[in-house]
Amino acid sequence: MNNQSVPHIGQIVKILRGKDTGQVAVVLSHADNKFVYIADGDKRKFDQAKKKNLIHLETQTYISSEVANSLMENGRVTNGKLRYAVMKFRQSTETNAEEKGD
């Protein structure tokens, strides 16, 4: 179920390979057509964004408009906004899982 579409800036991705397998992060920028820079604001800060191959990521439908807007306006985003985006994504997936379970 590997989604090979190029993720948008501010989009949440699930990490499929590497030491962060299973974690989620936010796309900060595109390195080229095969790599993006990601961070979660917690273990992986904005200033040490991780370069990841797209085949090692699964794009999620959630896009953080706060992160996308901040990056477009300032070229950077706070780690707090990244953590908030990840938290909002986790809340939305937990809510969806609970609704499906009923």
Side-chain angles (χ1 to χ4, degrees):
M1 194 171 100
N2 211 355
N3 186 348
Q4 280 303 298
S5 65
V6 176
H8 298 280
I9 303 299
Q11 188 163 6
I12 298 286
V13 292
K14 189 172 186 180
I15 301 168
L16 303 175
R17 295 277 187 281
K19 68 180 176 113
D20 297 327
T21 300
Q23 298 290 319
V24 293
V26 185
V27 175
L28 301 178
S29 63
H30 298 105
D32 54 37
N33 61 355
K34 286 173 65 173
F35 291 90
V36 292
Y37 286 97
I38 61 170
D40 65 6
D42 183 20
K43 293 180 202 72
R44 178 66 61 183
K45 308 281 193 216
F46 175 81
D47 291 327
Q48 276 90 42
K50 176 79 177 156
K51 185 177 181 182
K52 286 295 274 186
N53 192 320
L54 289 174
I55 63 172
H56 297 162
L57 300 173
E58 180 182 74
T59 54
Q60 306 296 308
T61 55
Y62 186 89
I63 298 176
S64 169
S65 57
E66 291 97 347
V67 172
N69 291 340
S70 182
L71 284 167
M72 278 193 284
E73 289 169 16
N74 309 323
R76 56 184 295 114
V77 64
T78 64
N79 291 312
K81 278 188 185 171
L82 293 174
R83 288 191 300 272
Y84 181 76
V86 169
M87 182 197 69
K88 291 293 281 183
F89 168 74
R90 288 206 171 110
Q91 284 178 344
S92 71
T93 55
E94 285 166 15
T95 304
N96 290 344
E98 287 169 12
E99 288 171 2
K100 289 177 184 165
D102 288 338

